[in-house]
Amino acid sequence: MFEKMDRDFVLHSYGRNYVNFKSAKGAVITDTNDKEYIDFMAGIGVVSVGHSHPRVVKAISEQASKIIHVSNLFLIEPQAKLAQKLISLSGYDMRCFFSNSGAEANEGAIKIARKYGEVEGKAKRYKVITLEHSFHGRTISTLKATGQVSMHDYFGPYPDGFAHAKDIDDIKTLCDEHTIAVMLELVQGEGGVEPMEKQKVQELEKFLKDRDILLIIDEVQTGIYRTGELLASNLFEITPDIITIAKGLGGGVPIGCVMSSLKDIFKPGDHGSTFGGNYLVCAAALEVLDILEEYKNSGGLDEAMIYFEKCLSEISKKYPDIVKKEVGLGFMRGLRIKDSESLTKIIDEAFRNRVLVLKAGRNTLRFLPPITINKEELDEGFKRVEVSISKLS
Ligand SMILES: *Cc1c(COP(=O)(O)O)cnc(C)c1O
């Protein structure tokens, strides 16, 4: 009944899978037939502390019973606390603007860069360079920033001032007198779970600093402990000018953020969001950060990441004819599968075996489990993944 309702009344922008979930706890989701699925995708990296974490549920319900929303024209206490917390955990000297999504955070980043490029009496610098295979969002300008041209059909004309580089070295050749910023993911998520080389990124950072070109790091997927540190920028030991986050920040509620070292770039009226950073989402995000900070400080997170990696490499070694190599960092990992047809078969089979996994790029089997996933859930999930891969051989 709901399937028909969905087909009749919802626009078909997703290849929808018609399973109907009714509840979820930790990394286990239950459907209306009481079948249990192991969640190795966490709503595409969103449910960072697992489904219905009791502390997040409590924070949201308590906040909802007090006050949910006022306009950003007023002080919002949990928003101020969240900004302070993000800045202190990151170690960067920045300020925050809260949005509702990753694409919006990136829009904010582009606006900050473009405003910085406007200097009285000089030709405006406006060009933003991104990488091929990158993903930065679905709005018109973040879609243009996204370096996967296959996604650009139909929706033009696009705003000017974006260029796509083949790789980090090619970025340097594309930088010219019009360039204001370079925007990068440190591990390309949608593009294939492809980490950048730390040394190359550090060299690029220096190259850009020398030319007063801003470095924007899109941490919408890598951020919030996904790679083992609050931000992948911390792991890469760089100091970007602008950082965007979203996915894992709210543990499931929609929240994004652009962090900027240009602390006074906006004057009242330059940017805004009706919903961005309201009481409800900030209360949830504060609790998510507390949970993950404690988990990191206890050593539990690093231990879990090592175990996760071990499980993956065992599978990869066992099926060398199917799995070409392992890619990724921390809890953002993938297995490069020999071809895209085999990958599709594995993902379909995994669903039948009740483990939820993702595709990235053309032939990468992607894993983005809840960061707090426990050993039992990992063991059970990987057992099911292995059965799914073994069907191919
Ligand atoms: C998912 C993602 C986005 C877009 O986020 P939305 O919340 O879907 O707008 C942008 N950049 C990266 C790196 C992402 O992974």
Side-chain angles (χ1 to χ4, degrees):
M1 172 178 119
F2 294 111
E3 175 174 340
K4 183 172 183 330
M5 217 183 263
D6 181 275
R7 287 189 197 278
D8 286 350
F9 296 109
V10 177
L11 283 170
H12 299 183
S13 68
Y14 285 92
R16 195 83 95 198
N17 191 334
Y18 281 101
V19 56
N20 196 355
F21 295 123
K22 65 170 182 191
S23 63
K25 196 95 202 128
V28 179
I29 314 184
T30 308
D31 72 14
T32 43
N33 299 318
D34 289 321
K35 283 190 179 150
E36 289 186 347
Y37 298 72
I38 300 290
D39 188 0
F40 274 0
M41 59 187 275
I44 318 199
V46 167
V47 191
S48 47
V49 294
H51 293 275
S52 299
H53 192 294
R55 284 173 58 182
V56 177
V57 172
K58 183 161 176 276
I60 291 175
S61 357
E62 282 181 5
Q63 186 60 58
S65 67
K66 280 188 259 169
I67 181 168
I68 294 178
H69 180 92
V70 297
S71 161
N72 273 302
L73 292 166
F74 303 97
L75 171 69
I76 298 167
E77 187 184 298
Q79 185 185 114
K81 278 197 201 155
L82 179 60
Q84 189 273 333
K85 179 109 193 157
L86 279 169
I87 298 305
S88 81
L89 285 176
S90 73
Y92 296 126
D93 187 18
M94 294 180 166
R95 284 183 186 159
C96 298
F97 175 90
F98 292 98
S99 63
N100 311 289
S101 67
E104 277 177 290
N106 286 338
E107 290 279 348
I110 295 164
K111 280 177 76 176
I112 290 170
R114 291 264 171 95
K115 189 164 183 207
Y116 183 67
E118 183 93 58
V119 177
E120 224 175 294
K122 281 200 195 162
K124 185 179 170 88
R125 293 192 293 149
Y126 57 85
K127 198 164 102 180
V128 177
I129 300 173
T130 61
L131 284 181
E132 283 178 10
H133 307 297
S134 61
F135 182 80
H136 299 295
R138 300 283 190 168
T139 61
I140 292 287
S141 50
T142 58
L143 191 58
K144 180 63 190 174
T146 293
Q148 305 182 52
V149 284
S150 61
M151 295 169 91
H152 293 173
D153 295 346
Y154 319 126
F155 307 115
Y158 289 98
D160 286 339
F162 291 94
H164 304 130
K166 281 190 197 55
D167 51 35
I168 289 201
D169 295 321
D170 190 36
I171 288 176
K172 297 181 187 169
T173 63
L174 284 181
C175 283
D176 59 20
E177 74 273 21
H178 304 299
T179 306
I180 193 59
V182 167
M183 180 154 76
L184 283 184
E185 298 154 270
L186 293 175
V187 184
Q188 286 185 338
E190 307 303 310
V193 201
E194 190 64 50
M196 302 289 130
E197 275 176 56
K198 180 171 173 178
Q199 197 195 333
K200 286 214 164 161
V201 174
Q202 290 180 342
E203 280 166 20
L204 176 71
E205 179 190 23
K206 172 151 192 343
F207 175 91
L208 298 177
K209 283 235 154 66
D210 290 346
R211 284 158 185 78
D212 190 31
I213 296 172
L214 302 174
L215 178 60
I216 304 171
I217 301 295
D218 178 347
E219 298 233 25
V220 169
Q221 197 160 140
T222 54
I224 318 302
Y225 296 100
R226 183 56 60 188
T227 67
E229 299 294 333
L230 177 79
L231 300 167
S233 297
N234 298 129
L235 193 68
F236 278 62
E237 298 176 285
I238 54 169
T239 305
D241 301 287
I242 300 170
I243 296 171
T244 56
I245 50 181
K247 289 191 165 87
L249 178 57
V253 299
I255 180 169
C257 176
V258 52
M259 301 164 61
S260 168
S261 64
L262 301 159
K263 295 203 236 172
D264 295 306
I265 192 81
F266 286 147
K267 296 278 171 286
D270 278 344
H271 196 43
S273 167
T274 299
F275 293 113
N278 77 12
Y279 283 93
L280 191 75
V281 294
C282 289
L286 272 167
E287 200 60 42
V288 167
L289 286 181
D290 277 347
I291 294 166
L292 292 177
E293 184 190 7
E294 285 167 26
Y295 192 41
K296 169 78 184 172
N297 291 343
S298 73
L301 173 59
D302 292 331
E303 220 173 276
M305 283 184 168
I306 290 168
Y307 187 71
F308 178 60
E309 209 272 319
K310 184 176 145 269
C311 296
L312 264 181
S313 71
E314 273 168 16
I315 288 196
S316 147
K317 283 199 201 91
K318 210 160 164 187
Y319 300 94
D321 296 341
I322 299 169
V323 180
K324 293 282 151 222
K325 67 168 178 173
E326 287 172 67
V327 286
L329 288 173
F331 269 125
M332 182 172 180
R333 287 192 186 264
L335 297 176
R336 227 16 86 65
I337 303 299
K338 61 176 179 172
D339 54 57
S340 61
E341 296 76 51
S342 308
L343 175 60
T344 306
K345 281 189 196 146
I346 293 170
I347 292 176
D348 290 348
E349 190 58 35
F351 182 74
R352 275 193 288 277
N353 289 305
R354 288 180 279 122
V355 55
L356 307 179
V357 287
L358 282 161
K359 180 182 173 165
R362 209 180 59 82
N363 59 344
T364 305
L365 181 62
R366 177 167 49 149
F367 300 85
L368 290 172
I371 289 165
T372 52
I373 190 168
N374 65 38
K375 191 167 171 294
E376 292 67 45
E377 291 162 335
L378 280 173
D379 285 342
E380 183 56 35
F382 275 115
K383 210 157 77 190
R384 299 180 189 187
V385 168
E386 185 176 343
V387 170
S388 318
I389 294 180
S390 70
K391 284 268 165 74
L392 274 192
S393 56

